[in-house]
Amino acid sequence: MSAPLLARLSAGPDDLTVWPASTARLPQGHVSVGGVSLADVADCFGTPAYVVDEGEIRGRCRMYRAAFPQADVVYAAKAFLSRAMVRWIDEEGLGLDVCSAGELELAHLAGFPPERMVLHGNAKSPHDIETALRVGVGRIVVDSPSEIARIAALVGPAGRQKVMVRVVPGVSAGGHEKIRTGTDRQKFGLSLTDGSAQHAIARVLGQSQLQLTGLHCHIGSQITDIKPYLVSVRRMVGLMARIKDSHGVTLPELDLGGGHGVAYRPGDPALDPTALARRLNADLAASCAVAGLPVPRLAIEPGRAIAGPAGVALYRVLAVKHTGPNMFVAVDGGMSDNPRPALYGARYAPRLTGRVSGAEPVTAMVVGRHCEAGDVIASDVLLPGDTRSGDLIAVPVAGAYQVSMASAYNLVGRPPVVAVHGGVARLLIRRETQEDFQRRDVGA
Ligand code: LLP
């Protein structure tokens, strides 16, 4: 049996190792995060609700900046974005990866410095590019050949925009096939193996409106092993050396994307950013020395590893059903606020909170309220055998790709996001209401 599996099985339902560092056990089975009892959050803001620990977000930003003092740490906004999040990221000195005019405008309106923004996207609309140029984003990452002339034309003859080229280094990594982006069998980037990356780079270098600052790659998400990053570095440095040989251009920047994996359950493997930094810097320096290149300035784009462990999803149990050996615990949210189990088979560790139970733990499936059998939040988890309607269930590591991927399925309404810090809870994003739905539905 593997060590992580052993640790998980022996961890039990009261293990708080994947929760925010501020988490504390209170009397009577209560749990607090950021000094605020989760039961109080549920009472004040209703359920389902997302709780975000500001201190955990800031702590993770600081940990990244300490691990990568010479690099640009660029937070991937797609993991979770709100005006408060933009402010925290700005105050902690990180950059911001945006991938639509929507994310860009929100960050801009919240006062984020545009030169620290990077625009991504495999299919950027004219509106995306125009917004990026109007606001003045620091970098646009070219993802397809047709974009090159479009960006150059929109920049105009007098302007000059910094760009990078997204390269597919041919490295397979990531927690699920739907989030592996390092090989040619997916839609992102320009292939190193078939020469389309080299071709695009030559075209960018030929456009006076575009300034190529470096290369980018993002090989996947929820990666828990350092090795794929090291292989990517070698291949990217090899390409930089070939660019120098054929064009006489030494590129000053290398962006290795994000993808750093986190533990969703006690005992799950996770990527250690400090160990990653140490190995990356050593391998980058060695590869550059062999290639006769100066060491480029590194950028990394963590999303999940900053936001994920800072969030907790809170649900109220609506129904409990015992069918044969199975206990189904149905809560007031589900795949509309967390599509990750259905999409990627993601596994979570829910916990009863707000009540002490003396009942023996039993194997349970926590399901949502939506009209699909695949609407599961967590299966094969241990919950007290007397779990009942009205109980509060908290799911840790809910801060990334849940709020941002939430949908209006069944018109249930997306949950609010509540920040907790220093014993204070405040609403960041309000609950979506029936009025919101009715206001959009204009075609009676
Ligand atoms: N940079 C680029 C260009 C990306 O496309 C992404 C994520 C990131 C950085 C940040 O990756 P992270 O550090 O968060 O792994 N919805 C999926 C994850 C999709 C990731 C998409 N791109 C999930 O819930 O697992």
Side-chain angles (χ1 to χ4, degrees):
M1 198 180 286
S2 72
L5 186 59
L6 253 182
R8 193 155 57 233
L9 290 179
S10 58
D14 198 34
D15 187 314
L16 296 177
T17 49
V18 298
W19 285 64
S22 70
T23 306
R25 289 181 185 83
L26 305 178
Q28 266 105 49
H30 284 273
V31 168
S32 70
V33 176
V36 180
S37 155
L38 293 181
D40 289 348
V41 172
D43 288 346
C44 288
F45 300 96
T47 54
Y50 280 103
V51 178
V52 178
D53 181 348
E54 177 183 342
E56 183 74 22
I57 298 265
R58 289 187 185 273
R60 288 179 169 271
C61 292
R62 285 172 202 176
M63 177 268 291
Y64 263 103
R65 292 209 61 204
F68 288 89
Q70 323 288 0
D72 291 319
V73 182
V74 180
Y75 169 67
K78 53 184 80 69
F80 166 64
L81 192 65
S82 76
R83 287 190 297 146
M85 186 69 177
V86 169
R87 182 167 61 79
W88 302 337
I89 294 298
D90 181 17
E91 287 172 0
E92 295 303 332
L94 274 61
L96 197 66
D97 144 5
V98 293
C99 64
S100 69
E103 290 182 354
L104 208 166
E105 288 280 24
L106 189 146
H108 181 54
L109 287 173
F112 198 86
E115 66 279 3
R116 288 194 350 238
M117 288 191 215
V118 181
L119 176 70
H120 282 287
N122 70 301
K124 298 177 192 76
S125 70
H127 181 52
D128 294 332
I129 299 171
E130 279 156 14
T131 308
L133 296 177
R134 172 172 51 79
V135 165
V137 300
R139 310 275 181 284
I140 297 179
V141 180
V142 171
D143 199 298
S144 68
S146 60
E147 257 176 62
I148 299 168
R150 281 170 56 212
I151 301 173
L154 286 168
V155 167
R160 195 157 158 81
Q161 171 64 45
K162 288 183 176 158
V163 299
M164 305 185 93
V165 169
R166 177 161 174 173
V167 176
V168 182
V171 178
S172 180
H176 187 273
E177 61 150 307
K178 288 183 186 139
I179 51 174
R180 287 184 198 132
T181 50
T183 64
D184 292 345
R185 297 162 65 94
Q186 50 78 50
K187 68 178 183 172
F188 293 100
L190 293 147
S191 171
L192 187 61
T193 38
D194 78 356
S196 43
Q198 294 86 325
H199 191 66
I201 288 161
R203 281 185 55 198
V204 169
L205 289 172
Q207 296 278 353
S208 59
Q209 297 91 335
L210 305 182
Q211 178 190 346
L212 184 65
T213 64
L215 303 182
H216 175 281
C217 67
H218 170 76
I219 54 177
S221 195
Q222 187 57 6
I223 300 168
T224 54
D225 186 8
I226 289 176
K227 236 181 278 152
Y229 288 100
L230 304 180
V231 177
S232 304
V233 162
R234 276 201 295 280
R235 297 201 179 153
M236 298 296 277
V237 170
L239 178 56
M240 289 171 114
R242 290 202 290 285
I243 293 168
K244 188 180 167 209
D245 287 346
S246 42
H247 302 281
V249 172
T250 304
L251 295 174
E253 297 175 0
L254 177 60
D255 186 334
L256 293 174
H260 312 166
V262 303
Y264 281 88
R265 298 175 296 166
D268 277 351
L271 196 76
D272 173 2
T274 308
L276 175 69
R278 205 179 318 119
R279 293 292 306 278
L280 271 185
N281 286 329
D283 278 37
L284 180 62
S287 298
C288 288
V290 170
L293 289 175
V295 176
R297 183 169 176 84
L298 259 194
I300 50 160
E301 300 173 337
R304 185 192 317 268
I306 299 237
V312 177
L314 263 185
Y315 301 101
R316 188 74 72 181
V317 176
L318 295 179
V320 177
K321 203 186 280 180
H322 295 266
T323 308
N326 303 313
M327 177 166 87
F328 294 97
V329 175
V331 298
D332 53 1
M335 67 194 304
S336 62
D337 63 80
N338 184 5
R340 300 194 65 260
L343 277 174
Y344 321 113
R347 308 286 309 271
Y348 288 85
R351 178 192 202 281
L352 176 71
T353 181
R355 170 169 85 79
V356 187
S357 168
E360 276 296 304
V362 300
T363 305
M365 188 186 279
V366 178
V367 297
R369 54 168 296 172
H370 295 284
C371 304
E372 291 196 28
D375 174 26
V376 172
I377 288 175
S379 44
D380 289 331
V381 295
L382 290 177
L383 284 176
D386 66 347
T387 301
R388 53 187 182 242
S389 297
D391 276 344
L392 263 189
I393 298 283
V395 184
V397 203
Y401 302 111
Q402 292 184 210
V403 176
S404 62
M405 291 175 72
S407 77
Y409 190 34
N410 295 153
L411 298 191
V412 163
R414 287 175 288 178
V417 179
V418 177
V420 290
H421 193 49
V424 177
R426 67 194 174 93
L427 189 62
L428 297 187
I429 301 177
R430 69 161 170 80
R431 186 181 304 284
E432 194 169 34
T433 63
Q434 282 306 312
E435 281 142 44
D436 291 323
F437 299 136
Q438 284 156 20
R439 217 174 299 137
R440 289 188 70 220
D441 191 337
V442 295

